[in-house]
């Protein structure tokens, strides 16, 4: 009888140990990969701080494709290099990738506004307007997005709609930077 129980229990215990070992091994591998990515991000930051933008760009290209928690930060470094060093990047594509890789949905509107501005600069005002229309009043950057929306509307020749946007911002954000900016833009229109 005892032998019968041992024959049944031993394989179960061994199977359980194998499964537990597999989970431990997977966790170890993920931690190792994150540690390596963390070090690579550190190297990028060091290269940027020391002014070695070419090395930073090479490192960014190596890990940019990885779908990791560091991806938004690495893509932001890429945008920084374009601005600081003139390294040519497809800003629209990078911002789209950055938005899709963000886990914190509260900051997505900020990058949508940045993408709208990139569209505005290249003359794709309709796409810029679509993005700005999707930034709600509950977003922390609502007023700045509305100011940009007014600028886009002006560029599209819709001056009356731009005035409406500026008037609304001036009223809703009275006494703040954006309220004052909207007021100044309205005075400029007169």
């Amino acid at each position: 009888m005892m032998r019968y129980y041992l024959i049944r229990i031993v394989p179960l215990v061994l199977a359980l140990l194998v499964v537990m070992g597999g989970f431990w091994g997977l966790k170890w591998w993920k931690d190792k990969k994150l540690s390596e990515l963390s070090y690579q991000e550190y190297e990028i930051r060091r290269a940027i701080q020391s002014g070695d933008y070419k090395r930073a760009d090479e490192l960014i290209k190596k890990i940019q494709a990885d779908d990791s928690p560091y991806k938004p930060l690495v893509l932001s470094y890429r945008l920084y290099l374009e601005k600081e060093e003139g390294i040519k990047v497809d800003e629209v594509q990078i911002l789209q990738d950055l938005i899709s890789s963000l886990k914190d949905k509260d900051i997505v509107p900020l990058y949508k506004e940045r993408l709208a501005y990139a569209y505005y600069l290249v003359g794709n005002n309709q796409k810029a307007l679509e993005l700005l229309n999707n930034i709600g009043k509950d977003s922390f950057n609502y007023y700045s997005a509305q100011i940009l929306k007014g600028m886009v509307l002006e560029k599209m020749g819709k001056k009356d709609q731009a005035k409406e946007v500026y008037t609304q911002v001036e009223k809703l954000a009275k006494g703040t930077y954006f309220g004052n900016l909207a007021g100044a833009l309205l005075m400029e229109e007169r």
Side-chain angles (χ1 to χ4, degrees), residues 137 139-147 164-186:
K137 286 184 179 181
S139 299
F140 69 93
N141 64 321
Y142 175 73
Y143 296 125
S144 63
Q146 290 301 296
I147 295 290
E164 287 176 31
V165 170
Y166 295 146
T167 302
Q168 179 116 8
V169 171
E170 182 183 38
K171 207 180 306 176
L172 293 173
K174 190 171 185 79
T176 68
Y177 169 79
F178 292 110
N180 295 339
L181 180 58
L185 289 167
L186 281 168

Side-chain angles (χ1 to χ4, degrees), residues 6-187:
L6 283 176
I7 291 173
R8 295 189 91 196
I9 291 175
V10 169
L12 286 174
V13 170
L14 288 175
L16 183 63
L17 288 174
V18 167
V19 168
M20 287 173 51
F23 282 124
W24 180 82
L26 182 63
K27 184 185 177 329
W28 173 83
W29 180 81
K30 284 181 178 179
D31 288 347
K32 183 178 185 273
K33 183 75 174 157
L34 275 176
S35 179
E36 289 170 1
L37 287 169
S38 174
Y39 181 74
Q40 289 173 333
E41 183 277 328
Y42 169 76
E43 286 294 314
I44 293 168
R45 195 168 8 100
R46 258 188 49 199
I48 289 173
Q49 288 171 342
S50 68
D52 190 354
Y53 297 126
K54 185 177 180 189
R55 174 159 164 64
D57 188 44
E58 290 168 3
L59 290 168
I60 288 169
K61 285 178 184 173
K62 279 168 112 176
I63 68 170
Q64 179 175 327
D66 284 348
D67 191 22
S68 76
Y70 292 98
K71 186 173 184 175
L73 181 59
V74 169
L75 291 170
S76 294
Y77 287 152
R78 191 106 175 95
L79 291 172
Y80 175 80
L81 288 180
E82 179 188 37
K83 202 162 260 345
E84 289 301 308
E85 197 54 28
I87 294 174
K88 198 68 189 144
V89 299
D90 184 351
E91 186 174 10
V92 168
Q93 184 61 50
I94 286 180
L95 285 165
Q96 288 171 338
D97 289 349
L98 202 151
I99 290 168
S100 68
S101 68
L102 286 171
K103 303 291 186 240
D104 184 352
K105 298 306 175 197
D106 290 337
I107 63 172
V108 168
L110 175 68
Y111 286 98
K112 282 186 175 182
E113 181 182 355
R114 180 88 176 1
L115 179 56
Y117 184 67
Y119 281 133
Y120 169 78
L121 290 178
V122 296
N124 195 339
N125 297 313
Q126 192 57 44
K127 282 218 184 229
L129 203 53
E130 288 171 18
L131 282 166
L132 294 168
N133 284 333
N134 288 322
I135 297 175
K137 286 184 179 181
D138 59 332
S139 299
F140 69 93
N141 64 321
Y142 175 73
Y143 296 125
S144 63
Q146 290 301 296
I147 295 290
L148 180 56
K149 180 179 176 179
M151 294 168 58
V152 170
L153 289 167
E154 280 186 64
K155 193 172 181 184
M156 294 172 78
K158 300 177 179 184
K159 294 196 183 289
D160 290 339
Q161 288 179 345
K163 272 185 175 180
E164 287 176 31
V165 170
Y166 295 146
T167 302
Q168 179 116 8
V169 171
E170 182 183 38
K171 207 180 306 176
L172 293 173
K174 190 171 185 79
T176 68
Y177 169 79
F178 292 110
N180 295 339
L181 180 58
L185 289 167
L186 281 168
M187 287 174 50

